[in-house]
Amino acid sequence: MTDLRLDIHGVGKSFGGLEVLRDLDLAVRPGEFAAVIGPSGSGKSTLFNLVSGLDTPSTGDLLIDGEPADLRSGQVAYMPQKDLLFPWRTVLDNTALGLEAQGVRRREARRRAGELFGVFGLDGFQGSYPFQLSGGMRQRAALLRTVVLERPVLLLDEPFGALDSLTRTEMQLWLADMWQRYRWTVVLVTHDIREAVLLADTVHVLSPRPGTVIERIQVPLPRPRGIDDLTEPAFAAAERHVLGTLQGRLIP
């Protein structure tokens, strides 16, 4: 299919005698928000390393916009679990760092990153340092640093996992609003079923290791989504569907 942004077909990955992924299929269309959820050790981080080109599959094909994924493709921006902001750099300098690493001149990198500060709720904190920001603001800065690279696919690896429950909910709602505005192509790894259902168009459920997609669940909720959707019967039904698939049984 030519309209796929990310096309993973029959991918397997082994490390010595340890088989981590087996015959994994996953497809994401341009502008789609896909979530990947599975038990610990099911190969979620390995999958992201393959998509980002940090590693190569043992079997199968992995294409981004029709081209093989590798470090030279420049097709993927990867936001890890921790914000990884350098404490000695200002917030503006941190958000411009990825562009500078790509060879963009410092002044131009700062200009491009600075244009997003208002949208990301960080205006006025350009000259601040990471220790002066709340946890949610640090994650917004980390996401800004990721999206300013303007790569076609964003990989988000449990970006809110370290936050407290209230802040995590606020950030999930904020990200839902940001995606509605920009329609990035996103692949989110999460252990949070509610987060997956709130944010994603599709939820790809992985089996225990060796990980493979055992079900692709279409989230039956209209866009845009907000806090009121959390109490909708359709939302609860989607959560039960994901949980039942993870546990290998149907939950009514």
Side-chain angles (χ1 to χ4, degrees), residues 13 27 31 62 88 92 105 151 168 182 213:
K13 182 63 180 179
L62 196 151
W88 60 87
L92 180 57
R105 290 184 179 275
R151 304 284 179 82
R168 185 165 61 248
Y182 288 99
V213 176

Side-chain angles (χ1 to χ4, degrees), residues 164-180:
D164 65 85
S165 179
L166 179 60
T167 304
R168 185 165 61 248
T169 298
E170 291 175 349
M171 289 298 299
Q172 290 165 353
L173 294 169
W174 173 82
L175 180 57
D177 287 341
M178 292 295 290
W179 179 88
Q180 190 71 31

Side-chain angles (χ1 to χ4, degrees), residues 34-216:
V36 177
I37 193 166
S40 296
S42 58
K44 297 183 296 295
S45 295
T46 298
L47 176 62
F48 266 18
N49 286 338
L50 298 178
V51 176
S52 62
L54 295 173
D55 205 346
T56 56
S58 302
T59 60
D61 299 307
L62 196 151
L63 304 176
I64 299 174
D65 285 349
E67 299 293 331
D70 61 45
L71 287 171
R72 298 166 295 176
S73 69
Q75 299 293 295
V76 173
Y78 189 174
M79 178 179 169
Q81 296 179 31
K82 296 182 179 180
D83 60 67
L84 301 180
L85 300 177
F86 291 138
W88 60 87
R89 293 178 68 109
T90 66
V91 177
L92 180 57
D93 285 337
N94 265 291
T95 56
L97 184 60
L99 290 172
E100 292 182 50
Q102 290 184 170
V104 177
R105 290 184 179 275
R106 185 170 183 264
R107 176 177 292 183
E108 173 63 11
R110 287 164 57 90
R111 182 193 67 77
R112 288 164 59 178
E115 289 179 345
L116 295 174
F117 268 64
V119 176
F120 278 67
L122 295 168
D123 201 24
F125 291 89
Q126 288 87 338
S128 300
Y129 289 87
F131 77 90
Q132 296 174 300
L133 302 184
S134 67
M137 293 176 71
R138 289 176 65 109
Q139 291 303 100
R140 291 202 297 271
L143 184 59
L144 193 162
R145 180 186 58 201
T146 304
V147 304
V148 77
L149 298 174
E150 298 183 340
R151 304 284 179 82
V153 177
L154 300 181
L155 304 181
L156 307 181
D157 188 358
E158 296 191 71
F160 310 136
L163 302 176
D164 65 85
S165 179
L166 179 60
T167 304
R168 185 165 61 248
T169 298
E170 291 175 349
M171 289 298 299
Q172 290 165 353
L173 294 169
W174 173 82
L175 180 57
D177 287 341
M178 292 295 290
W179 179 88
Q180 190 71 31
R181 176 170 181 168
Y182 288 99
R183 295 300 178 103
W184 302 308
T185 303
V186 177
V187 184
L188 168 76
V189 159
T190 180
H191 283 97
D192 186 334
I193 295 174
R194 190 182 75 165
E195 180 173 272
V197 173
L198 175 64
L199 292 174
D201 299 304
T202 54
V203 180
H204 303 258
V205 182
L206 296 188
S207 68
R209 188 175 63 237
T212 193
V213 176
I214 54 177
E215 187 170 357
R216 175 186 181 274

